[in-house]
Amino acid sequence: MEAFSLAIAFLVIFFTISFFAFRNASSSVDSNLPPGGSGWPIVGETLDFMVNPEKFVSDRMKKHSPDIFRTNFFGEKIVIICGPNGHKFLFSNEDKHFTAYLRKAMQKLFFSTQVQNSDKVLSNDEMKLPRFMAFFLKPEALVNYVAGMDSIIQKQLKTHLEGKAEVKMYTFCRSITLTLACRFFLGLENPERIAKLVGQFDKVTHGIHNLPLDIPGTAFHYAVKAAGVISKELADVIAEKRARVASGAPTQDVCTSMVVEGMSDEDISEKIMGVLVAGYSTVANTITFFMKFVGERPEIYHKILSEQLEISKSKQAEELLYWGDMQKMKYSWAVVCESMRVIPPVLGTFREAKTDFSYGGFTVPKGWKVFWTVNTTQRNPEYFREPYEFDPSRFMEGDRMPLYTFVPFGGGPRMCPGKEYARFVILAFIHNLVKKFKWEVVDPNERVLGGMMPYPEKGLPVRLHPRYV
């Protein structure tokens, strides 16, 4: 009890000192800065953002400016650039005004202790995928993996869904997408080994977007612990790859290619950790909400099924998918796009101003952080008619939507390099799923939680009904 009282007293003193320091710092704000607020000491307006990001942004756009406003997350001075013009400005000036920025919380999870304990800002080159690694994510390289991924998906559906009356799809989607990512990036095929990693990666992805407090009991603390477990496993994998390379084994996955390129164990581990998290979590979220929207709309399910059965009819029995099949899944991809429009797998990302720049009549100083978010356009009635209606036809019609309004993968030089990888994993999953099962959502009113990365509160339980062709 005494320890608890001392802790409370310490926090009161800490926040009191922080408040006056924060207020004094705020009093010297340049009058030409974008309008906005700073929120509470230390945490700024982070809590308001995490509770309801869409409301947070829309309220401040109305109150301050529809183009740009300033805020504060954990003591970081941040501006949020809004709307399609803001997206265009940001994506078109990536190398001129902006540099990549990784929050300290993410550096602690993904990078070495040396980086974590320094004040160093990681450069674009340090965060950029190596050129040969980026090549693996291009269509000309992915074509070699479609059949293998198709085979893995079929096995996963048979093992985990057949014979089940009800399944929590969020859990399953994270498991299958991590399995695919481990196969593609690490060359791992051992189910038991991958199963051990699923829970650890879930803790990391959950902790990334929570308060970065490394205190026992917090999500971030569990994420730090989980990142340590993953790093140890990656060290074992890298050692195995080095041994295989030394024995003359051929290059078959991204990790082996990194070894061949002469990258250090530390660099390989950092890069692989990042791409694994990105390569499974956002894809899993996209598939999960696809399942939700389609499970609530039988007419859309039947249109997807018809498209996928036509593809199957053009193939020999037991013939696996190939890249050309993906190009035929136009309606299925329109449904995926509409899912990402209504519930984006991730709401945006950060940059850092590498120079002073002006936008919307205001000046943003060098060193300030810049956040762009899909929330300012993708559910905005100015750009999408009836934005809360689920209507895949908007991605099939001849009328093109305004540029820079649908940006789930970002844009410009830093557009998500894994866009094509995500597309083929999602479509291969859909192809196999709809041919085997119909489904219905157990609770259509299930809440969507999460700030930066939305997720269904109960894990999206669905009732499965086998299809017999």
Side-chain angles (χ1 to χ4, degrees):
M1 191 68 182
E2 182 178 352
F4 178 76
S5 299
L6 287 173
I8 293 297
F10 172 78
L11 287 173
V12 170
I13 294 170
F14 176 72
F15 276 99
T16 301
I17 294 172
S18 300
F19 173 77
F20 286 107
F22 190 77
R23 186 180 67 176
N24 291 338
S26 300
S27 65
S28 61
V29 169
D30 187 332
S31 60
N32 197 42
L33 290 176
S38 298
W40 293 90
I42 306 302
V43 296
E45 296 188 301
T46 312
L47 297 179
D48 288 344
F49 176 81
M50 291 177 66
V51 168
N52 191 329
E54 185 173 19
K55 186 175 187 300
F56 175 91
V57 172
S58 61
D59 285 353
R60 283 154 181 78
M61 287 176 69
K62 293 173 185 174
K63 180 179 180 180
H64 301 306
S65 165
D67 301 315
I68 185 171
F69 63 87
R70 63 182 167 86
T71 182
N72 184 290
F73 294 164
F74 297 115
E76 290 279 13
K77 297 173 181 177
I78 292 170
V79 294
I80 296 183
I81 294 181
C82 311
N85 290 333
H87 293 159
K88 180 181 179 180
F89 176 80
L90 182 66
F91 300 154
S92 303
N93 289 280
E94 286 278 17
D95 296 324
K96 181 179 179 182
H97 294 311
F98 307 106
T99 185
Y101 172 70
L102 205 62
R103 290 172 292 139
K104 283 289 186 180
M106 296 182 75
Q107 290 189 25
K108 187 174 181 65
L109 293 174
F110 295 154
F111 289 89
S112 66
T113 304
Q114 182 179 356
V115 171
Q116 295 169 20
N117 296 334
S118 71
D119 294 325
K120 174 185 176 183
V121 176
L122 295 171
S123 69
N124 283 336
D125 288 340
E126 288 172 302
M127 285 189 277
K128 190 183 298 181
L129 290 178
R131 183 176 299 178
F132 74 89
M133 190 174 175
F135 173 76
F136 270 88
L137 297 169
K138 293 183 180 296
E140 50 266 39
L142 289 171
V143 294
N144 300 313
Y145 292 87
V146 174
M149 294 297 196
D150 183 22
S151 177
I152 291 172
I153 290 170
Q154 290 183 29
K155 292 175 183 175
Q156 289 285 309
L157 294 179
K158 183 177 180 65
T159 301
H160 298 287
L161 297 190
E162 285 190 7
K164 303 287 178 63
E166 187 173 308
V167 174
K168 288 187 176 182
M169 288 307 303
Y170 183 61
T171 302
F172 173 68
C173 288
R174 293 175 80 79
S175 175
I176 191 172
T177 53
L178 183 59
T179 297
L180 292 167
C182 283
R183 172 64 186 88
F184 181 75
F185 294 106
L186 290 176
L188 289 185
E189 298 184 15
N190 184 320
E192 291 79 17
R193 196 172 189 180
I194 295 172
K196 291 178 182 177
L197 290 173
V198 172
Q200 304 301 332
F201 272 101
D202 282 349
K203 291 175 184 176
V204 169
T205 53
H206 185 55
I208 286 172
H209 303 301
N210 271 274
L211 301 178
L213 302 174
D214 192 1
I215 300 171
T218 64
F220 188 73
H221 178 75
Y222 292 128
V224 171
K225 295 289 187 185
V229 173
I230 294 170
S231 293
K232 290 179 181 177
E233 182 64 26
L234 289 179
D236 291 342
V237 172
I238 294 166
E240 293 166 13
K241 299 298 180 184
R242 291 197 183 282
R244 286 179 58 82
V245 169
S247 68
T251 300
Q252 296 177 328
D253 55 74
V254 175
C255 185
T256 305
S257 295
M258 296 171 106
V259 170
V260 171
E261 287 289 321
M263 293 177 63
S264 69
D265 287 11
E266 186 177 275
D267 285 344
I268 295 173
S269 181
E270 290 170 356
K271 291 289 193 297
I272 288 289
M273 173 83 85
V275 296
L276 282 176
V277 169
Y280 98 98
S281 56
T282 54
V283 175
N285 277 22
T286 300
I287 296 175
T288 298
F289 289 112
F290 166 89
M291 295 285 296
K292 170 181 169 59
F293 290 123
V294 175
E296 294 169 353
R297 295 163 176 81
E299 71 283 2
I300 290 179
Y301 166 85
H302 286 294
K303 288 182 181 179
I304 295 171
L305 176 63
S306 176
E307 180 177 75
Q308 298 299 339
L309 289 178
E310 281 299 313
I311 292 170
S312 292
K313 289 176 185 175
S314 67
K315 306 176 74 65
Q316 299 294 321
E318 308 300 323
E319 183 183 354
L320 295 170
L321 289 171
Y322 68 97
W323 189 259
D325 294 325
M326 304 296 176
Q327 316 316 312
K328 302 174 185 176
M329 302 181 188
K330 291 182 169 50
Y331 183 74
S332 299
W333 185 244
V335 177
V336 174
C337 288
E338 181 68 347
S339 300
M340 291 190 290
R341 185 193 67 78
V342 178
I343 303 182
V346 66
L347 296 185
T349 190
F350 290 89
R351 300 285 186 264
E352 180 172 331
K354 61 191 294 188
T355 63
D356 292 355
F357 70 89
S358 296
Y359 182 75
F362 303 101
T363 299
V364 177
K366 176 182 178 180
W368 277 46
K369 307 308 179 285
V370 180
F371 183 71
W372 72 268
T373 170
V374 299
N375 275 339
T376 66
T377 58
Q378 290 192 181
R379 293 199 291 199
N380 189 326
E382 185 176 348
Y383 312 115
F384 294 94
R385 66 183 186 281
E386 300 181 6
Y388 290 92
E389 289 294 318
F390 190 82
D391 181 13
S393 69
R394 69 178 90 236
F395 289 92
M396 296 289 288
E397 295 171 352
D399 296 337
R400 294 186 178 275
M401 62 191 67
L403 293 175
Y404 300 102
T405 56
F406 179 66
V407 288
F409 297 102
R414 292 196 186 88
M415 176 180 281
C416 175
K419 176 183 176 180
E420 289 301 318
Y421 169 83
R423 189 172 78 94
F424 103 74
V425 167
I426 293 167
L427 289 176
F429 179 89
I430 291 171
H431 175 78
N432 287 287
L433 182 77
V434 299
K435 292 195 305 175
K436 280 184 170 292
F437 301 101
K438 294 183 291 184
W439 67 92
E440 59 193 46
V441 175
V442 172
D443 180 7
N445 298 315
E446 182 178 1
R447 290 196 306 161
V448 176
L449 304 178
M452 286 288 290
M453 188 173 286
Y455 62 92
E457 181 179 28
K458 301 174 185 176
L460 192 71
V462 301
R463 296 188 186 93
L464 292 173
H465 305 285
R467 278 195 72 260
Y468 299 101
V469 181

